[in-house]
Short mmCIF file of all heavy atoms in Angstrom, two decimals:
data_model
loop_
_atom_site.label_atom_id
_atom_site.label_comp_id
_atom_site.label_asym_id
_atom_site.label_seq_id
_atom_site.Cartn_x
_atom_site.Cartn_y
_atom_site.Cartn_z
N GLY A 963 10.86 0.39 2.72
CA GLY A 963 10.43 0.66 4.10
C GLY A 963 9.99 2.09 4.25
O GLY A 963 9.06 2.40 5.03
N ILE A 964 10.62 2.99 3.49
CA ILE A 964 10.25 4.41 3.54
C ILE A 964 8.80 4.60 3.10
O ILE A 964 8.03 5.33 3.73
CB ILE A 964 11.19 5.24 2.64
CG1 ILE A 964 12.62 5.23 3.23
CG2 ILE A 964 10.68 6.68 2.49
CD1 ILE A 964 13.63 5.91 2.33
N GLU A 965 8.43 3.92 2.02
CA GLU A 965 7.04 4.03 1.53
C GLU A 965 6.04 3.58 2.58
O GLU A 965 5.04 4.25 2.84
CB GLU A 965 6.89 3.20 0.25
CG GLU A 965 5.45 3.13 -0.27
CD GLU A 965 5.26 2.00 -1.26
OE1 GLU A 965 6.20 1.68 -2.02
OE2 GLU A 965 4.15 1.41 -1.27
N VAL A 966 6.34 2.42 3.20
CA VAL A 966 5.43 1.89 4.22
C VAL A 966 5.31 2.86 5.38
O VAL A 966 4.21 3.14 5.87
CB VAL A 966 5.93 0.51 4.70
CG1 VAL A 966 5.05 0.02 5.87
CG2 VAL A 966 5.92 -0.49 3.55
N GLU A 967 6.44 3.38 5.85
CA GLU A 967 6.43 4.34 6.96
C GLU A 967 5.63 5.58 6.61
O GLU A 967 4.84 6.08 7.46
CB GLU A 967 7.85 4.73 7.33
CG GLU A 967 8.66 3.60 7.95
CD GLU A 967 10.13 3.97 8.07
OE1 GLU A 967 10.48 5.14 7.77
OE2 GLU A 967 10.94 3.09 8.43
N ARG A 968 5.81 6.09 5.41
CA ARG A 968 5.11 7.31 4.99
C ARG A 968 3.60 7.09 4.97
O ARG A 968 2.84 7.96 5.41
CB ARG A 968 5.59 7.75 3.62
CG ARG A 968 6.97 8.37 3.59
CD ARG A 968 6.99 9.74 4.23
NE ARG A 968 6.02 10.63 3.60
CZ ARG A 968 5.48 11.69 4.16
NH1 ARG A 968 5.78 11.97 5.42
NH2 ARG A 968 4.63 12.46 3.50
N ILE A 969 3.16 5.96 4.42
CA ILE A 969 1.72 5.70 4.31
C ILE A 969 1.11 5.42 5.68
O ILE A 969 0.00 5.85 5.99
CB ILE A 969 1.44 4.58 3.32
CG1 ILE A 969 1.91 4.98 1.92
CG2 ILE A 969 -0.04 4.24 3.28
CD1 ILE A 969 1.33 6.29 1.41
N LEU A 970 1.83 4.72 6.53
CA LEU A 970 1.34 4.51 7.90
C LEU A 970 1.17 5.83 8.63
O LEU A 970 0.18 6.07 9.32
CB LEU A 970 2.31 3.62 8.68
CG LEU A 970 2.20 2.12 8.42
CD1 LEU A 970 3.38 1.38 9.04
CD2 LEU A 970 0.88 1.57 8.97
N GLU A 971 2.12 6.73 8.44
CA GLU A 971 2.08 8.05 9.08
C GLU A 971 0.97 8.92 8.50
O GLU A 971 0.24 9.60 9.22
CB GLU A 971 3.43 8.75 8.94
CG GLU A 971 3.50 10.13 9.53
CD GLU A 971 4.82 10.83 9.25
OE1 GLU A 971 5.78 10.15 8.84
OE2 GLU A 971 4.90 12.06 9.42
N ARG A 972 0.84 8.87 7.18
CA ARG A 972 -0.09 9.77 6.49
C ARG A 972 -1.53 9.26 6.50
O ARG A 972 -2.46 10.05 6.64
CB ARG A 972 0.38 9.94 5.04
CG ARG A 972 -0.25 11.12 4.31
CD ARG A 972 0.21 11.16 2.86
NE ARG A 972 -0.54 10.22 2.02
CZ ARG A 972 -0.19 9.90 0.79
NH1 ARG A 972 0.92 10.36 0.27
NH2 ARG A 972 -0.95 9.06 0.08
N GLU A 973 -1.69 7.95 6.32
CA GLU A 973 -3.03 7.37 6.13
C GLU A 973 -3.46 6.47 7.27
O GLU A 973 -4.63 6.06 7.32
CB GLU A 973 -3.07 6.59 4.81
CG GLU A 973 -2.72 7.40 3.60
CD GLU A 973 -3.74 8.47 3.24
OE1 GLU A 973 -4.90 8.33 3.68
OE2 GLU A 973 -3.38 9.43 2.53
N GLY A 974 -2.55 6.07 8.15
CA GLY A 974 -2.89 5.18 9.25
C GLY A 974 -3.11 3.75 8.79
O GLY A 974 -3.81 2.98 9.46
N MET A 975 -2.55 3.38 7.65
CA MET A 975 -2.69 2.01 7.12
C MET A 975 -1.49 1.72 6.24
O MET A 975 -0.75 2.61 5.85
CB MET A 975 -4.01 1.86 6.34
CG MET A 975 -4.16 2.81 5.18
SD MET A 975 -5.81 2.74 4.40
CE MET A 975 -6.81 3.61 5.61
N ARG A 976 -1.32 0.46 5.87
CA ARG A 976 -0.24 0.06 5.03
C ARG A 976 -0.61 0.27 3.55
O ARG A 976 -1.79 0.38 3.20
CB ARG A 976 0.14 -1.39 5.31
CG ARG A 976 0.65 -1.60 6.73
CD ARG A 976 0.88 -3.07 7.05
NE ARG A 976 1.96 -3.62 6.23
CZ ARG A 976 3.25 -3.53 6.52
NH1 ARG A 976 3.66 -2.94 7.66
NH2 ARG A 976 4.16 -4.08 5.74
N PRO A 977 0.40 0.31 2.64
CA PRO A 977 0.10 0.64 1.24
C PRO A 977 -0.97 -0.21 0.56
O PRO A 977 -1.85 0.34 -0.10
CB PRO A 977 1.48 0.50 0.57
CG PRO A 977 2.43 0.88 1.65
CD PRO A 977 1.85 0.32 2.89
N PRO A 978 -0.95 -1.56 0.67
CA PRO A 978 -2.03 -2.32 -0.02
C PRO A 978 -3.42 -1.96 0.49
O PRO A 978 -4.36 -1.85 -0.29
CB PRO A 978 -1.66 -3.77 0.30
CG PRO A 978 -0.20 -3.76 0.51
CD PRO A 978 0.07 -2.47 1.23
N GLU A 979 -3.55 -1.77 1.80
CA GLU A 979 -4.85 -1.38 2.34
C GLU A 979 -5.26 0.00 1.85
O GLU A 979 -6.43 0.27 1.54
CB GLU A 979 -4.82 -1.42 3.87
CG GLU A 979 -6.18 -1.11 4.50
CD GLU A 979 -6.14 -1.11 6.02
OE1 GLU A 979 -5.06 -1.33 6.59
OE2 GLU A 979 -7.23 -0.94 6.63
N PHE A 980 -4.29 0.88 1.74
CA PHE A 980 -4.56 2.24 1.25
C PHE A 980 -5.07 2.19 -0.19
O PHE A 980 -6.08 2.84 -0.55
CB PHE A 980 -3.29 3.07 1.36
CG PHE A 980 -3.38 4.44 0.76
CD1 PHE A 980 -4.46 5.26 0.98
CD2 PHE A 980 -2.36 4.93 -0.03
CE1 PHE A 980 -4.56 6.53 0.44
CE2 PHE A 980 -2.41 6.19 -0.59
CZ PHE A 980 -3.52 6.99 -0.36
N LEU A 981 -4.39 1.42 -1.05
CA LEU A 981 -4.84 1.31 -2.44
C LEU A 981 -6.21 0.65 -2.53
O LEU A 981 -7.03 0.99 -3.37
CB LEU A 981 -3.83 0.55 -3.27
CG LEU A 981 -2.48 1.25 -3.51
CD1 LEU A 981 -1.63 0.42 -4.49
CD2 LEU A 981 -2.67 2.65 -4.07
N ASP A 982 -6.46 -0.30 -1.63
CA ASP A 982 -7.78 -0.92 -1.56
C ASP A 982 -8.83 0.12 -1.17
O ASP A 982 -9.95 0.18 -1.71
CB ASP A 982 -7.74 -2.06 -0.55
CG ASP A 982 -8.89 -3.05 -0.72
OD1 ASP A 982 -9.66 -2.91 -1.69
OD2 ASP A 982 -9.00 -3.95 0.10
N ASP A 983 -8.46 0.98 -0.23
CA ASP A 983 -9.37 1.99 0.28
C ASP A 983 -9.78 3.00 -0.77
O ASP A 983 -10.90 3.52 -0.75
CB ASP A 983 -8.72 2.70 1.47
CG ASP A 983 -9.73 3.42 2.36
OD1 ASP A 983 -10.78 2.81 2.68
OD2 ASP A 983 -9.48 4.59 2.71
N VAL A 984 -8.87 3.27 -1.73
CA VAL A 984 -9.18 4.23 -2.80
C VAL A 984 -9.73 3.55 -4.05
O VAL A 984 -9.97 4.20 -5.07
CB VAL A 984 -7.98 5.12 -3.15
CG1 VAL A 984 -7.54 5.94 -1.94
CG2 VAL A 984 -6.81 4.29 -3.69
N GLY A 985 -9.90 2.23 -3.99
CA GLY A 985 -10.52 1.51 -5.10
C GLY A 985 -9.61 1.10 -6.22
O GLY A 985 -10.07 0.85 -7.35
N LEU A 986 -8.31 0.99 -5.95
CA LEU A 986 -7.38 0.61 -7.01
C LEU A 986 -6.83 -0.80 -6.89
O LEU A 986 -6.17 -1.28 -7.81
CB LEU A 986 -6.20 1.61 -7.03
CG LEU A 986 -6.50 3.00 -7.58
CD1 LEU A 986 -5.27 3.92 -7.45
CD2 LEU A 986 -6.92 2.92 -9.05
N LEU A 987 -7.07 -1.47 -5.76
CA LEU A 987 -6.46 -2.77 -5.54
C LEU A 987 -7.36 -3.85 -6.15
O LEU A 987 -8.28 -4.36 -5.51
CB LEU A 987 -6.27 -3.03 -4.05
CG LEU A 987 -5.27 -4.12 -3.71
CD1 LEU A 987 -3.83 -3.62 -3.88
CD2 LEU A 987 -5.48 -4.66 -2.31
N ASP A 988 -7.09 -4.20 -7.42
CA ASP A 988 -7.85 -5.24 -8.08
C ASP A 988 -7.03 -5.81 -9.22
O ASP A 988 -5.81 -5.54 -9.33
CB ASP A 988 -9.20 -4.70 -8.58
CG ASP A 988 -9.08 -3.54 -9.54
OD1 ASP A 988 -8.02 -3.38 -10.18
OD2 ASP A 988 -10.04 -2.75 -9.66
N ASP A 989 -7.66 -6.63 -10.07
CA ASP A 989 -6.91 -7.30 -11.13
C ASP A 989 -6.55 -6.38 -12.30
O ASP A 989 -5.94 -6.84 -13.27
CB ASP A 989 -7.65 -8.53 -11.62
CG ASP A 989 -9.03 -8.21 -12.23
OD1 ASP A 989 -9.39 -7.01 -12.28
OD2 ASP A 989 -9.74 -9.15 -12.64
N ARG A 990 -6.89 -5.11 -12.18
CA ARG A 990 -6.44 -4.13 -13.21
C ARG A 990 -5.23 -3.35 -12.72
O ARG A 990 -4.78 -2.43 -13.41
CB ARG A 990 -7.59 -3.17 -13.55
CG ARG A 990 -8.77 -3.81 -14.27
CD ARG A 990 -9.95 -2.88 -14.33
NE ARG A 990 -10.53 -2.68 -13.00
CZ ARG A 990 -11.51 -1.81 -12.74
NH1 ARG A 990 -12.01 -1.06 -13.71
NH2 ARG A 990 -11.98 -1.71 -11.50
N LEU A 991 -4.71 -3.73 -11.56
CA LEU A 991 -3.54 -3.06 -11.01
C LEU A 991 -2.29 -3.91 -11.19
O LEU A 991 -2.29 -5.11 -10.91
CB LEU A 991 -3.74 -2.79 -9.50
CG LEU A 991 -2.58 -2.08 -8.81
CD1 LEU A 991 -2.51 -0.61 -9.22
CD2 LEU A 991 -2.65 -2.22 -7.30
N LEU A 992 -1.22 -3.28 -11.65
CA LEU A 992 0.10 -3.90 -11.72
C LEU A 992 0.94 -3.27 -10.62
O LEU A 992 1.20 -2.05 -10.65
CB LEU A 992 0.77 -3.69 -13.07
CG LEU A 992 0.21 -4.51 -14.26
CD1 LEU A 992 -1.13 -3.99 -14.73
CD2 LEU A 992 1.20 -4.47 -15.41
N GLY A 993 1.33 -4.06 -9.63
CA GLY A 993 2.10 -3.54 -8.50
C GLY A 993 3.50 -4.07 -8.51
O GLY A 993 3.75 -5.27 -8.33
N ALA A 994 4.48 -3.19 -8.68
CA ALA A 994 5.88 -3.59 -8.80
C ALA A 994 6.53 -3.73 -7.44
O ALA A 994 6.37 -2.87 -6.57
CB ALA A 994 6.64 -2.60 -9.66
N HIS A 995 7.26 -4.79 -7.27
CA HIS A 995 8.13 -5.10 -6.12
C HIS A 995 7.40 -5.90 -5.05
O HIS A 995 7.74 -7.06 -4.82
CB HIS A 995 8.80 -3.85 -5.53
CG HIS A 995 9.69 -3.15 -6.48
ND1 HIS A 995 10.91 -3.68 -6.88
CD2 HIS A 995 9.55 -1.97 -7.15
CE1 HIS A 995 11.47 -2.86 -7.74
NE2 HIS A 995 10.68 -1.82 -7.94
N CYS A 996 6.46 -5.28 -4.32
CA CYS A 996 5.73 -6.01 -3.25
C CYS A 996 6.71 -6.71 -2.31
O CYS A 996 6.54 -7.92 -1.99
CB CYS A 996 4.75 -7.01 -3.86
SG CYS A 996 3.49 -6.29 -4.91
N ILE A 997 7.69 -5.98 -1.85
CA ILE A 997 8.74 -6.54 -0.98
C ILE A 997 8.36 -6.40 0.49
O ILE A 997 8.36 -7.38 1.26
CB ILE A 997 10.09 -5.86 -1.23
CG1 ILE A 997 10.52 -5.98 -2.69
CG2 ILE A 997 11.17 -6.44 -0.30
CD1 ILE A 997 11.70 -5.12 -3.06
N PHE A 998 8.04 -5.18 0.90
CA PHE A 998 7.82 -4.88 2.30
C PHE A 998 6.34 -5.06 2.64
O PHE A 998 5.61 -4.10 2.86
CB PHE A 998 8.32 -3.47 2.61
CG PHE A 998 9.81 -3.35 2.48
CD1 PHE A 998 10.39 -3.06 1.27
CD2 PHE A 998 10.64 -3.55 3.57
CE1 PHE A 998 11.79 -2.97 1.13
CE2 PHE A 998 12.02 -3.46 3.46
CZ PHE A 998 12.59 -3.17 2.24
N VAL A 999 5.94 -6.32 2.64
CA VAL A 999 4.55 -6.67 2.89
C VAL A 999 4.49 -7.64 4.07
O VAL A 999 5.35 -8.49 4.23
CB VAL A 999 3.87 -7.29 1.65
CG1 VAL A 999 3.63 -6.23 0.58
CG2 VAL A 999 4.72 -8.43 1.08
N ASP A 1000 3.44 -7.52 4.87
CA ASP A 1000 3.23 -8.49 5.96
C ASP A 1000 2.18 -9.51 5.51
O ASP A 1000 1.68 -9.45 4.38
CB ASP A 1000 2.86 -7.78 7.27
CG ASP A 1000 1.56 -7.00 7.20
OD1 ASP A 1000 0.75 -7.21 6.23
OD2 ASP A 1000 1.29 -6.18 8.10
N ASP A 1001 1.84 -10.43 6.39
CA ASP A 1001 0.91 -11.50 6.02
C ASP A 1001 -0.44 -10.95 5.58
O ASP A 1001 -1.05 -11.45 4.63
CB ASP A 1001 0.73 -12.46 7.19
CG ASP A 1001 1.99 -13.29 7.45
OD1 ASP A 1001 2.85 -13.35 6.56
OD2 ASP A 1001 2.09 -13.86 8.55
N ALA A 1002 -0.92 -9.92 6.29
CA ALA A 1002 -2.22 -9.33 5.92
C ALA A 1002 -2.16 -8.65 4.56
O ALA A 1002 -3.10 -8.73 3.76
CB ALA A 1002 -2.66 -8.32 6.99
#
């Protein structure tokens, strides 16, 4: 939850959207945990 709060505060978006925004969210990314995620 801390990570999500920090990225919302810093970037105005949630972590997956942030990684998408910087061009890292694709099939070459390994993302560990993925616990605190919403439907979007």
Side-chain angles (χ1 to χ4, degrees):
I964 293 174
E965 175 196 326
V966 175
E967 292 170 6
R968 286 289 304 156
I969 297 305
L970 280 169
E971 178 185 347
R972 196 183 81 192
E973 303 291 339
M975 59 186 75
R976 297 174 66 85
E979 184 180 3
F980 174 46
L981 292 186
D982 199 5
D983 199 46
V984 298
L986 287 175
L987 199 78
D988 59 23
D989 61 1
R990 292 169 291 174
L991 180 73
L992 286 74
H995 298 289
C996 299
I997 302 170
F998 293 87
V999 288
D1000 62 16
D1001 290 343

